[in-house]
Amino acid sequence: MNPVISVNHLHKAYGTTVAVDDISFNVAPGEIFGIVGPNGAGKSTTVESIMGLREPDSGNVSVLGLNPHTQRSAVSQRIGIQLQQAALPDRMKVWEALDLYSSFYTNTIPWEPLLEEWGLGDKRNARFVNLSGGQKQRLFIALALLNDPDVVFLDELTTGLDPQARRSTWDLVADIRDRGKTVVLVTHFMDEAEALCDHVAIIDHGNIIALDTPARLIEQVDDELRVTFEVDGPFSAEILSSLPQVSDISRSGRRWTARGDARNLLSAVVIALEQNAVRVTNLQTERASLEDVFITLTGRQIRA
Ligand SMILES: Nc1ncnc2c1ncn2[C@@H]1O[C@H](COP(=O)(O)OP(=O)(O)OP(=O)(O)O)[C@@H](O)[C@H]1O
Ligand SMILES: [Mg+2]
């Protein structure tokens, strides 16, 4: 299948600041492609170059087979954009924003159903300034979908939202993909990328330092799973240490930890405990996360 987006050796500097050094990747149709990395890594510069909003110093970008710089208006009709710095005039009403944005496109879908779908049906007459953070985000998503785009760019969509609003926004993003659109999601939240993205490019200092599915990125740094639990009643660690799937069993206070290969540890442990009638409480699993991938690759925390 032809990629929807193809970026080859993109390079962009602002004066002496190299924002994007040498970035190449492809985005497949219908996927959520994540671009993650710390502040200033070059994420927004990369996506804004793809959207035709910034001119690269060198390299090639193609979107839906078009060149976003020489064919900018054709591209803009087929992409949906939510920019990191998005804002609307405080006094603008929700319906006025939708009406205004509709006028930018040759083909639009009716905005009334969009408002309902994104839970803003009763907010059509509300002013922008009076919307909650989550409602503003949903409005920006609705605006980005007005032209029924093939590709949607979301740059730091959930920054500034509380954890609950972030999670409900994740469902909305998955919905966009489920409607057959390709989504490019820029975020510095590793948990967001891990939960949503089919592929993730980790960017640091203007270069891609890793690109794969979240699961494969995590497997590469750490394929160990830890199953921890407490025991109510008698328990002999031998039950688990004798299992081929368990590489180690240890105890710290009341909690036991069994370690082993992430692919088959959990069911082996649970079955052995069950067969030996061990009464277990508070069983949990722990695994490396995308955050750990970043730390392993760079030696620092993402928000350092
Ligand atoms: N218009 C500009 N003029 C000068 N420098 C810029 C401009 N835009 C970005 N930069 C610089 O380029 C680098 C990359 O910025 P960019 O906005 O692409 O990063 P980012 O990964 O999106 O960061 P953030 O997570 O903070 O949004 C930074 O050092 C930034 O200061
Ligand atoms: Mg940015």
Side-chain angles (χ1 to χ4, degrees):
M1 251 189 297
N2 284 338
V4 167
I5 296 170
S6 177
V7 176
N8 287 297
H9 299 295
L10 180 69
H11 178 90
K12 171 82 182 166
Y14 303 102
T16 55
T17 305
V18 176
V20 173
D21 181 21
D22 182 359
I23 282 184
S24 303
F25 61 86
N26 290 325
V27 178
E31 71 168 327
I32 301 181
F33 186 91
I35 298 182
V36 304
N39 290 138
K43 305 182 296 295
S44 294
T45 303
T46 300
V47 292
E48 287 171 15
S49 302
I50 298 171
M51 299 184 273
L53 302 176
R54 304 205 185 208
E55 195 174 349
D57 299 328
S58 57
N60 299 306
V61 178
S62 132
V63 181
L64 298 159
L66 300 165
N67 180 322
H69 299 98
T70 57
Q71 298 168 288
R72 185 162 157 199
S73 65
V75 169
S76 69
Q77 295 295 331
R78 297 185 56 196
I79 65 174
I81 299 182
Q82 174 265 324
L83 289 176
Q84 184 173 6
Q85 311 297 348
L88 289 166
D90 281 352
R91 294 182 52 77
M92 186 175 271
K93 292 181 180 167
V94 166
W95 75 265
E96 291 172 332
L98 289 151
D99 204 49
L100 173 70
Y101 275 58
S102 292
S103 71
F104 298 158
Y105 302 109
T106 343
N107 295 311
T108 53
I109 52 173
W111 53 257
E112 288 89 349
L114 258 186
L115 270 195
E116 295 295 334
E117 274 170 48
W118 299 97
L120 293 168
D122 58 345
K123 292 287 168 189
R124 57 152 52 208
N125 289 314
R127 295 191 192 280
F128 181 71
V129 68
N130 294 328
L131 299 178
S132 72
Q135 289 163 346
K136 285 179 181 162
Q137 302 298 51
R138 294 206 299 274
L139 174 58
F140 286 124
I141 296 180
L143 292 172
L145 296 176
L146 267 179
N147 58 333
D148 196 21
D150 299 308
V151 191
V152 181
F153 294 89
L154 305 170
D155 192 350
E156 303 285 357
L157 183 66
T158 64
T159 300
L161 296 187
D162 62 54
Q164 199 195 334
R166 277 182 65 219
R167 274 158 206 278
S168 53
T169 308
W170 294 358
D171 294 338
L172 303 181
V173 175
D175 268 12
I176 300 175
R177 188 245 337 254
D178 296 344
R179 293 173 200 194
K181 302 186 187 303
T182 305
V183 179
V184 176
L185 178 79
V186 177
T187 182
H188 64 269
F189 292 118
M190 287 292 191
D191 58 342
E192 186 162 304
E194 194 176 325
L196 279 176
C197 297
D198 299 298
H199 285 94
V200 173
I202 303 181
I203 298 193
D204 194 30
H205 299 307
N207 287 298
I208 292 181
I209 57 171
L211 195 174
D212 212 326
T213 64
R216 279 199 292 265
L217 288 171
I218 292 166
E219 232 169 67
Q220 278 160 25
V221 300
D222 183 7
D223 60 3
E224 183 188 78
L225 182 74
R226 292 166 292 283
V227 179
T228 74
F229 55 89
E230 289 168 29
V231 174
D232 187 8
F235 169 60
S236 151
E238 173 51 12
I239 294 168
L240 298 182
S241 60
S242 59
L243 295 174
Q245 294 89 347
V246 175
S247 58
D248 180 62
I249 171 111
S250 61
R251 180 182 193 170
S252 166
R254 293 155 42 134
R255 276 196 94 66
W256 290 89
T257 300
R259 294 164 189 276
D261 189 311
R263 279 161 294 223
N264 49 30
L265 178 70
L266 180 60
S267 55
V269 167
V270 170
I271 290 168
L273 292 170
E274 178 72 30
Q275 282 173 346
N276 290 278
V278 180
R279 300 225 322 258
V280 165
T281 58
N282 203 4
L283 183 131
Q284 292 171 6
T285 59
E286 290 167 14
R287 249 211 107 159
S289 64
L290 258 196
E291 188 99 31
D292 297 318
V293 174
F294 185 82
I295 295 167
T296 305
L297 292 174
T298 65
R300 38 180 235 284
Q301 305 273 344
I302 191 155
R303 261 157 299 218

